[in-house]
Amino acid sequence: MKHTTTAPHELEHLYSAAVNTVQTQKDYRTGINQLETAARAGHGKAAIFLSQLYLQGFRVERDSLKAQYWQNFAYQEA
């Protein structure tokens, strides 16, 4: 897996911004892109959040394979 050299506080900021984008601003496409960026850079909470979105089908098409992918991704980062 390729990781960027993003500082942990920057990843936390990106994660927080993404959650705000999804939950408050209702800009799901941007928020999910931000979550994927944070998750791929090693932010486990972002990967878990993505997993839950896909598992529940919250503003994304319900997709158990994507949910499992992001859940596994989070555990690989731990």
Side-chain angles (χ1 to χ4, degrees), residues 2-78:
K2 183 179 180 185
H3 292 282
T4 61
T5 55
T6 307
H9 70 278
E10 291 174 3
L11 286 178
E12 187 64 27
H13 177 73
L14 180 58
Y15 168 72
S16 295
V19 170
N20 181 58
T21 300
V22 168
Q23 293 180 337
T24 305
Q25 298 175 16
K26 309 296 188 211
D27 182 354
Y28 304 108
R29 181 174 292 178
T30 300
I32 288 169
N33 286 337
Q34 292 171 323
L35 287 166
E36 287 181 359
T37 298
R40 287 193 176 100
H43 196 280
K45 288 191 294 186
I48 293 295
F49 194 90
L50 282 165
S51 174
Q52 291 302 307
L53 289 178
Y54 284 110
L55 185 64
Q56 297 171 7
F58 182 77
R59 303 298 183 193
V60 294
E61 186 173 334
R62 185 174 288 174
D63 188 328
S64 61
L65 292 177
K66 283 185 181 179
Q68 186 174 7
Y69 170 82
W70 287 113
Q71 185 175 22
N72 291 341
F73 198 94
Y75 290 126
Q76 290 173 2
E77 297 304 315

